[in-house]
Amino acid sequence: MGSGDSLAGCRSATALTPQEAAGKHLYQLHCAHCHEDNDLSFKKMPPNLHHVFERATLPSGAPGSDAQVSRAVLEGKGMMPGFSGRFSGEQMADLLSYLHTGLR
Ligand code: HEC
């Protein structure tokens, strides 16, 4: 018996692990509308998160670590609202694993 993808709703051309695929789903639901579409029309476009972990620092200049990104997401940053209480630890791990793919 095969152990295929259980996340049929998050199909992708590139093969993501189930954890990365779960993170992608969260990203598309909660992050992309600002970070890709800027749907609130901020004067300053939210930073592009593609390949965010391949740079030494985050757009703010903070170190580009899992801990720092988790903090930005949970506490918010500038115009970005905090997601505290909205992601479980597991969901945060999923999200980070997807951000580590460079956003495929
Ligand atoms: C309402 C719009 C909005 C949403 C939703 C949003 N962001 Fe942001 N995000 C921003 C803006 C604006 C900034 C720039 C903040 C600043 O530096 O002033 C930002 C900054 C960041 C940064 C850079 C932090 C730094 O230190 O430079 C990261 C990482 C980030 N967002 C991740 C996420 C993730 C992951 C999600 C989804 C869970 C998300 N954001 C959802 C608007 C948003």
Side-chain angles (χ1 to χ4, degrees):
M1 270 186 242
S3 60
D5 283 341
S6 54
L7 288 151
C10 291
R11 256 178 275 125
S12 158
T14 48
L16 296 173
T17 67
Q19 185 183 35
E20 289 161 359
K24 178 175 189 171
H25 187 70
L26 292 171
Y27 174 81
Q28 289 181 335
L29 219 55
H30 299 288
C31 320
H33 68 92
C34 278
H35 280 273
E36 312 237 347
D37 303 333
N38 191 19
D39 66 348
L40 299 179
S41 302
F42 292 137
K43 256 198 225 138
K44 200 177 116 211
M45 173 76 190
N48 184 329
L49 297 180
H50 290 257
H51 308 292
V52 69
F53 281 116
E54 286 156 42
R55 302 183 209 113
T57 57
L58 296 178
S60 66
S65 63
D66 284 11
Q68 195 65 42
V69 168
S70 303
R71 189 172 318 143
V73 171
L74 294 177
E75 294 177 3
K77 184 108 202 162
M79 298 298 288
M80 175 173 154
F83 287 81
S84 177
R86 294 175 60 193
F87 290 138
S88 68
E90 192 189 341
Q91 287 176 314
M92 186 54 91
D94 293 347
L95 191 57
L96 288 171
S97 79
Y98 179 56
L99 291 173
H100 273 286
T101 68
L103 302 195
R104 278 190 273 146

